[in-house]
Every structure is written in C-alpha cells, then in structure tokens.
Amino acid sequence: MVNFSKHRKFERQWACDCDCEDRFIWPRIKVSTIPTAAPPPVIVSNGEIIPTVNRYFYIVTSDIDLTNGATLLANLFFHDYGNQITEFSIFNPNGYVNLYINGVMQEGGIYTITTTSLTLNPYNSTIYRGTPIIIESLGFSTK
C-alpha cells in the first residue's frame, strides 16, 4: 500500500520520499474540441407535426446463428393489432427505425431494414429460441 502522506505535488510532477518510483502515474487528461454535426434543417409549418408509430413483433422459434449474419422476412412479424404483416412501413427520410432484441435497443450499425426484411450483420453470437425481436418504425409528417 502506498503511503500518500509521503507524496508531494510540485508544479506538474509528483515527488516521493518512498520506494515507489517505479509505479505508473497517469498523465493529465486533456480535453479536445469534438466536431459536431450540422443541425437538421428547420421546418417552418403553421400546422402541427404528426408522429406515426408502427411496431412489429417476432418471437424467435429456433436459434439464429449470426456467424454469417441472418435475414428475417417481414412476414414473420406481427403488428400491434396481432395480425401478420407482409412488409414494414419505413418512413424515409422523415423518420427512423429502432430494433430491440430481448428488450434491448440495438446499435444502428448492426442491422438493415427494408420494407420486406430485417438483415442482421455477421456477429459471433446467437439469438436463442424464445427471444423477442421488436422493430419500431417512427415517421413524422406535418398538417
């Protein structure tokens, strides 16, 4: 255990009266300016913004090995009212899609969604039977 009462700070260096000169001292962390993305364009409307939300549900019926990726067709999913669908409603460019696997939102870079399928990129993992997969598609329009 290091006795910190023997350590003194001089300017930007630490000095020590003990035998711990070989220990590592972390360098000072410097903050740098991180560039920011340009803000989205402002939409001027005298009306209101109307969100549209569509959710699609699938409970995995057999293990899905993601070693080579996987594609799940839209007809495996059911919408909020419990009916099977044939395609996903995707709102592009005025919306976005979230993917939840086992209730956890997934990174946008691990999947691709088209109107007819969900494609999961290759990953050294397995989605096990009984796992819920939820797609949430949100779109915005003005009135």
Side-chain angles (χ1 to χ4, degrees), residues 12 20 23 126 143:
R12 293 188 175 151
C20 61
R23 71 185 173 96
T126 300
K143 183 176 182 183

Side-chain angles (χ1 to χ4, degrees), residues 49-92:
I49 296 176
I50 303 166
T52 302
V53 180
N54 293 302
R55 287 179 291 268
Y56 307 102
F57 305 88
Y58 172 61
I59 305 293
V60 176
T61 55
S62 61
D63 294 354
I64 301 172
D65 179 9
L66 296 177
T67 303
N68 296 315
T71 298
L72 302 173
L73 298 178
N75 65 2
L76 295 172
F77 289 79
F78 293 80
H79 62 51
D80 273 334
Y81 303 106
N83 297 323
Q84 191 172 14
I85 64 163
T86 56
E87 63 181 33
F88 301 117
S89 292
I90 306 296
F91 303 98
N92 192 12

Side-chain angles (χ1 to χ4, degrees), residues 72-136:
L72 302 173
L73 298 178
N75 65 2
L76 295 172
F77 289 79
F78 293 80
H79 62 51
D80 273 334
Y81 303 106
N83 297 323
Q84 191 172 14
I85 64 163
T86 56
E87 63 181 33
F88 301 117
S89 292
I90 306 296
F91 303 98
N92 192 12
N94 299 320
Y96 60 93
V97 175
N98 290 321
L99 172 65
Y100 299 85
I101 298 176
N102 205 22
V104 178
M105 185 186 295
Q106 302 300 303
E107 298 173 30
I110 69 163
Y111 64 93
T112 305
I113 295 180
T114 66
T115 57
T116 58
S117 66
L118 162 66
T119 301
L120 300 165
N121 296 341
Y123 193 73
N124 189 21
S125 186
T126 300
I127 299 175
Y128 295 101
R129 192 184 100 213
T131 301
I133 296 178
I134 302 166
I135 296 171
E136 178 181 52

